[in-house]
Amino acid sequence: QVQLVESGGGSVQAGGSLRLSCAASEITNNRWCMGWFRQAPGKEREGVAAIDTNGNARYVDSVKGRFTISKDNAKNTLYLQMNSLKPEDTAMYFCARLASRTTCPFDWLFIPTKFTNYWGQGTQVTVSS
């Protein structure tokens, strides 16, 4: 059974930084495409960043240059380093794993419902101006 547990969220002022972690219940993050999504109140869940088994990362335009996705296979942990945070980054952040893909489809971050995913329960990030 795949379990994903996020941590590291919190409240920061604009311009600040946070690092999110996602602990996986099994040796999963070196075999599958994994990523981070977020959902603000009243909005649909949107992709943030993805990373494949080769460590190739992909980001949505709104976070490029500010966020960095990485993974530690020995610790079964996925990370999201978030710098230069903005109020519009405020959301619940979710860790996700594609059910059966080692590479990350281009449209996964944009249409996650098109695929079968495993989700964590989320960690809240609040950025104040």
Side-chain angles (χ1 to χ4, degrees), residues 27-41:
I27 304 176
T28 183
N29 62 354
N30 196 32
R31 298 173 56 194
W32 312 107
C33 168
M34 296 191 71
W36 290 94
F37 292 75
R38 65 187 181 187
Q39 187 167 17

Side-chain angles (χ1 to χ4, degrees), residues 107-126:
D107 53 354
W108 184 46
L109 293 179
F110 303 101
I111 317 174
T113 55
K114 181 179 174 181
F115 305 91
T116 301
N117 305 297
Y118 296 105
W119 297 98
Q121 293 186 332
T123 185
Q124 178 68 37
V125 172
T126 302

Side-chain angles (χ1 to χ4, degrees), residues 93-114:
Y93 282 70
F94 298 89
C95 174
R97 197 207 93 179
L98 268 176
S100 58
R101 301 279 189 107
T102 56
T103 57
C104 298
F106 177 79
D107 53 354
W108 184 46
L109 293 179
F110 303 101
I111 317 174
T113 55
K114 181 179 174 181

Side-chain angles (χ1 to χ4, degrees), residues 5-112:
V5 179
E6 302 94 335
S7 62
S11 297
V12 296
Q13 290 190 328
S17 298
L18 284 172
R19 188 176 81 155
L20 306 184
S21 299
C22 171
S25 61
E26 59 181 75
I27 304 176
T28 183
N29 62 354
N30 196 32
R31 298 173 56 194
W32 312 107
C33 168
M34 296 191 71
W36 290 94
F37 292 75
R38 65 187 181 187
Q39 187 167 17
K43 295 188 176 182
E44 292 188 354
R45 191 170 297 186
E46 62 176 7
V48 175
I51 188 166
D52 66 17
T53 55
N54 292 319
N56 298 308
R58 183 177 294 149
Y59 303 90
V60 295
D61 287 346
S62 60
V63 307
K64 281 181 181 176
R66 300 189 299 122
F67 290 12
T68 302
I69 188 171
S70 63
K71 56 182 181 174
D72 186 329
N73 296 326
K75 296 181 178 180
N76 297 330
T77 303
L78 181 72
Y79 301 101
L80 184 68
Q81 177 67 44
M82 305 186 296
N83 299 327
S84 302
L85 283 161
K86 304 176 180 180
E88 50 264 43
D89 295 318
T90 295
M92 183 73 77
Y93 282 70
F94 298 89
C95 174
R97 197 207 93 179
L98 268 176
S100 58
R101 301 279 189 107
T102 56
T103 57
C104 298
F106 177 79
D107 53 354
W108 184 46
L109 293 179
F110 303 101
I111 317 174

